Amino acid sequence: MDAILNQIPIGLAIGAVLLLAALGLNFTFGQMGVINMAHGEFMMVGAYTAFVMHAWFELNPDYALVLAIPAAFVLTGLLGLALEVSVIRRFYGRPLDTLLLTFGIGLVLQQIARDIFGAPNVDVPAPVWLAGGVDVLGIRLHFARLFILALAVLCVIAIAYYLNRSKPGRQMRAVLHNRDLAAVTGIATRRIDATTFFLGSGLAGIAGVALTLIGPTGPTLGHNYIVDAFLVVVVGGLGQLRGTILAALALGLLNAFAEFWTDASLAKVLVFVAIIGFLQARPQGMFTVRSRALT
């Protein structure tokens, strides 16, 4: 029984990483119709940022991870912004083209990572203050997993505040609900698109830093999570913060329990079957966006 209960914090930690990754995907896909297959590589860049902090700058692991979080957010945000302005902007409204384009960009980023860091995976040492854990009601809570959960909660609070309390956030929601109507009211939709891409890519970088606490870092790190992140977006509903949160945690728990009872490959199959069954009942996802569009 204890072994089963211990899958809960594991699933919640996986769900927290998926949540950070899916938030950015949800914004870019829901607002601009961009299927960003390079989003996983943005996570990889974030993970390597944490590695560089330790291996190249030789910072103490006790605070290198904390410094890596804002550094990864800014670095991957600027990378995403550069790609949006230079290439992706020209393919808005063409989702299949953006899928192929960003898939190619992702492969290029993977190869650049291999050229710089090599093909083998590298380890990023966790801070000493994240070693160990506590037992609560027979459940082992590792400090590293609690840190990932806390990081996701802080990011969600910051995103919710940005969307609901700040002027750029409210403009972003307006563009997400109805781009044409937002443009008519004077909102610079192109600027909002660039800001959204920066924000979404930055969140992927933070997810990458969190992944260094779960496993090794390699050029294909993000590739292993991109499909699950897209599933979270589909199940949670486009543009829905609460739907993304619930879907990410549910998918993380489902993955953890399925892998406990079977193996990783069969667990993926079971998760896909469960999601297909859910989408048959609710093809619009958990929640839908109320739009003023006539169609």
Side-chain angles (χ1 to χ4, degrees):
M1 189 61 183
D2 289 346
I4 297 175
L5 293 177
N6 280 322
Q7 297 306 306
I8 295 176
I10 296 175
L12 291 178
I14 296 174
V17 173
L18 290 177
L19 172 60
L20 291 172
L23 280 175
L25 277 179
N26 203 333
F27 293 148
T28 55
F29 184 53
Q31 180 172 317
M32 294 163 274
V34 173
I35 303 177
N36 184 13
M37 294 299 292
H39 200 73
E41 278 61 47
F42 293 162
M43 296 170 66
M44 175 265 293
V45 172
Y48 272 118
T49 302
F51 174 74
V52 167
M53 286 285 186
H54 165 71
W56 290 13
F57 296 157
E58 299 182 348
L59 297 180
N60 189 318
D62 285 349
Y63 53 85
L65 183 77
V66 177
L67 294 177
I69 293 172
F73 177 79
V74 174
L75 179 62
T76 54
L78 291 176
L79 177 61
L81 179 63
L83 289 177
E84 194 274 340
V85 173
S86 61
V87 182
I88 296 176
R89 174 171 294 185
R90 295 168 174 77
F91 292 87
Y92 282 175
R94 297 157 61 184
L96 293 180
D97 290 343
T98 60
L99 186 151
L100 295 174
L101 172 67
T102 55
F103 181 73
I105 292 173
L107 293 178
V108 171
L109 291 175
Q110 285 187 24
Q111 188 57 48
I112 292 174
R114 288 191 185 91
D115 292 340
I116 297 176
F117 302 101
N121 291 340
V122 297
D123 288 318
V124 179
V128 174
W129 47 273
L130 285 182
V134 293
D135 293 321
V136 178
L137 300 176
I139 301 175
R140 185 64 174 172
L141 300 176
H142 293 275
F143 292 141
R145 290 169 188 155
L146 292 176
F147 179 81
I148 294 173
L149 284 173
L151 183 62
V153 170
L154 287 175
C155 289
V156 169
I157 292 174
I159 290 295
Y161 181 85
Y162 176 79
L163 291 176
N164 295 294
R165 299 294 182 182
S166 70
K167 182 180 178 181
R170 290 194 292 269
Q171 290 178 337
M172 179 178 160
R173 289 172 57 199
V175 175
L176 178 64
H177 286 220
N178 193 315
R179 172 179 294 273
D180 293 335
L181 185 59
V184 168
T185 59
I187 296 176
T189 56
R190 288 296 190 189
R191 178 175 55 80
I192 296 298
D193 290 342
T195 304
T196 302
F197 224 92
F198 174 86
L199 187 63
S201 302
L203 288 172
I206 295 177
V209 176
L211 280 176
T212 62
L213 296 174
I214 297 178
T217 298
T220 60
L221 171 72
H223 185 74
N224 300 325
Y225 288 88
I226 189 64
V227 174
D228 285 348
F230 269 114
L231 291 177
V232 170
V233 173
V234 173
V235 173
L238 290 177
Q240 287 294 321
L241 183 59
R242 58 177 175 168
T244 304
I245 296 171
L246 292 177
L249 296 180
L251 196 60
L253 289 171
L254 190 59
N255 266 311
F257 281 106
E259 288 187 13
F260 176 76
W261 290 109
T262 61
D263 55 64
S265 300
L266 185 55
K268 287 290 183 187
V269 175
L270 294 176
V271 171
F272 272 115
V273 171
I275 290 175
I276 290 172
F278 174 82
L279 292 177
Q280 289 297 315
R282 288 188 63 83
Q284 73 276 25
M286 288 183 177
F287 304 98
T288 54
V289 176
R290 291 183 179 179
S291 171
R292 295 182 182 275
L294 298 177
T295 57

